[in-house]
Amino acid sequence: MSSIRKILIYTLFAVVFLFFLYIAFRYRVKLLRIIAPLLLAAVIAYLIYPVVLWLEEKRISRTWSVLIIYFVSLGIITASIIFIVPHLINNTKELMNVLPDVAMDFRENFNTFIRNIKTSKWPPDIKESIFKEINKGTYFVEKVAMDTLKNYLWGIAKTATVALDLIIAMVIAYYLIKDAKSFRDGGLSLIPRKWRNGVIGCCREINAILSNFIQGQVLAAFIVGIMITIGFFIIKLKYPLILGMIAGIFNIIPYFGPVIGAIPAIAVALIDSPIKALWTALVVILIQQIENIFISPRIIDDRVGLHPVTTILVVLIGGEFFGFVGMLVSVPVAAVLKVIAKRWIEAVV
């Protein structure tokens, strides 16, 4: 193939990719609202599919396998509501009660810090520079706090919508697993015969990537959440259950998740003392090292196929344009696009 044709193909691919990226950004709110149940359904399907296969080996039909998993999951959720949620509510109430004291302590320390700077013998220009940076930092913190509060209130208002999305996702996941063969055959019937082998290979590679990422990240986050919660209990950190759960949930986000999830725990530890905050940070760092060395290599095993630098960039881009959901889905989406691009280029070049 001539170099001119290669350039044209690469240019066409870049234009198509940028066009879809623009459409996704332009209508991101509507798209997220539409595809949220589909994304959740895909996650549910990938999480329960290994159990469905295991039950099928026990000669239980796929329909009953999915229903059994749903009923067992409902029982676990109910038990969690009965035994765990009250503790979470109590921890949350206690945390909300001490927040004013925390804010007052930080305000007093901040005022003391400002007074020390004003009474110091430092040159006026240095003091002015410090105060400018402090003002910038204060504005940033206030903005983050207000945005967090708005998102929290908006999240409460959307609880019913989330519950409806979950129900819809469970129904879709049921049919995705039950009628997987019908979906596959129907999709292949729309593809010319000469392309089918390539499409099948591409879909298998995408399926392996998504399966490994979703199952691996959720399992790793669950294990890390339990370990961090136990660590918080050992160092006698306040509200260990809810803080450990937060750390585990954010651990799903590659690279940045552990840092984001550790911030609330360290902030609460500062209420007691800087030493407690140091111990909290050490617990999180130790468990993250255990995850990086022993857990992730065995569960995820770098099968997503993205370089660490690429992973960091796509997480940043996803978070910038699509928020928390973007950070969650950016890595698998990038991995899928990489597979499609590679297969498409191999087919036409």
Side-chain angles (χ1 to χ4, degrees):
M1 181 178 291
S2 65
S3 57
I4 296 178
R5 186 178 177 185
K6 287 182 180 180
I7 293 173
L8 291 175
I9 291 173
Y10 287 132
T11 303
L12 176 62
F13 177 79
V15 170
V16 172
F17 175 75
L18 291 175
F19 173 76
F20 280 109
L21 193 63
Y22 168 76
I23 295 296
F25 174 71
R26 179 70 175 78
Y27 301 100
R28 61 188 182 280
V29 176
K30 294 182 179 179
L31 286 174
L32 286 175
R33 192 180 304 129
I34 294 171
I35 68 175
L38 297 176
L39 292 175
L40 191 54
V43 171
I44 294 173
Y46 275 112
L47 288 178
I48 69 175
Y49 189 65
V51 185
V52 171
L53 293 180
W54 180 77
L55 290 174
E56 278 191 316
E57 292 177 358
K58 307 298 181 183
R59 296 185 178 180
I60 300 175
S61 68
R62 182 163 291 197
T63 297
W64 279 106
S65 297
V66 176
L67 293 177
I68 289 171
I69 294 171
Y70 280 173
F71 283 127
V72 172
S73 300
L74 181 62
I76 294 174
I77 293 172
T78 303
S80 301
I81 292 173
I82 294 174
F83 296 106
I84 298 178
V85 170
H87 295 286
L88 290 176
I89 293 174
N90 291 333
N91 283 349
T92 304
K93 286 181 178 178
E94 293 177 11
L95 183 58
M96 295 302 293
N97 289 334
V98 301
L99 280 179
D101 296 333
V102 176
M104 185 174 295
D105 289 340
F106 279 119
R107 189 181 300 112
E108 290 178 356
N109 293 332
F110 180 75
N111 291 335
T112 302
F113 176 71
I114 295 296
R115 284 195 299 268
N116 291 335
I117 294 177
K118 288 181 177 179
T119 58
S120 69
K121 298 180 180 180
W122 293 350
D125 54 340
I126 294 180
K127 291 182 181 181
E128 184 179 354
S129 300
I130 293 174
F131 288 139
K132 284 183 180 179
E133 294 302 321
I134 290 175
N135 290 332
K136 290 180 182 179
T138 303
Y139 172 77
F140 175 76
V141 171
E142 290 177 352
K143 184 176 184 301
V144 170
M146 291 300 296
D147 290 343
T148 302
L149 180 60
K150 289 178 182 178
N151 292 333
Y152 176 72
L153 295 175
W154 180 248
I156 294 176
K158 292 193 66 178
T159 300
T161 304
V162 172
L164 180 61
D165 287 346
L166 179 60
I167 294 172
I168 295 173
M170 292 177 67
V171 174
I172 295 174
Y174 166 79
Y175 284 109
L176 286 177
I177 294 177
K178 176 179 174 293
D179 300 327
K181 187 175 184 300
S182 299
F183 284 121
R184 184 194 64 188
D185 294 341
L188 288 176
S189 66
L190 302 175
I191 299 172
R193 291 184 180 275
K194 62 179 180 179
W195 293 352
R196 287 184 185 178
N197 289 334
V199 171
I200 291 173
C202 181
C203 291
R204 285 176 177 171
E205 191 173 350
I206 290 173
N207 180 67
I209 289 174
L210 293 178
S211 176
N212 178 75
F213 181 82
I214 294 173
Q215 296 172 6
Q217 287 295 112
V218 171
L219 180 57
F222 179 74
I223 295 173
V224 168
I226 292 176
M227 293 173 64
I228 289 180
T229 301
I230 294 173
F232 289 168
F233 271 110
I234 292 174
I235 65 174
K236 298 181 179 179
L237 178 67
K238 293 180 179 179
Y239 327 114
L241 195 58
I242 187 171
L243 293 175
M245 182 179 293
I246 291 172
I249 292 173
F250 276 99
N251 196 78
I252 297 176
I253 302 174
Y255 294 102
F256 300 100
V259 178
I260 300 173
I263 292 175
I266 294 174
V268 170
L270 281 172
I271 300 172
D272 289 340
S273 66
I275 298 299
K276 181 62 70 68
L278 177 61
W279 277 110
T280 303
L282 289 176
V283 166
V284 175
I285 292 172
L286 175 62
I287 293 175
Q288 287 303 321
Q289 293 306 310
I290 293 174
E291 184 206 5
N292 294 334
I293 296 173
F294 298 105
I295 299 175
S296 291
R298 287 165 175 77
I299 296 177
I300 302 174
D301 199 24
D302 294 329
R303 295 175 190 170
V304 177
L306 296 178
H307 191 276
V309 174
T310 305
T311 302
I312 293 173
L313 288 176
V314 297
V315 170
L316 288 173
I317 293 171
E320 179 67 25
F321 290 108
F322 300 100
F324 179 71
V325 176
M327 297 181 76
L328 285 176
V329 304
S330 58
V331 173
V333 168
V336 169
L337 290 176
K338 178 183 176 182
V339 171
I340 295 174
K342 183 183 69 174
R343 292 276 184 168
W344 185 74
I345 292 173
E346 287 175 353
V348 299
V349 175

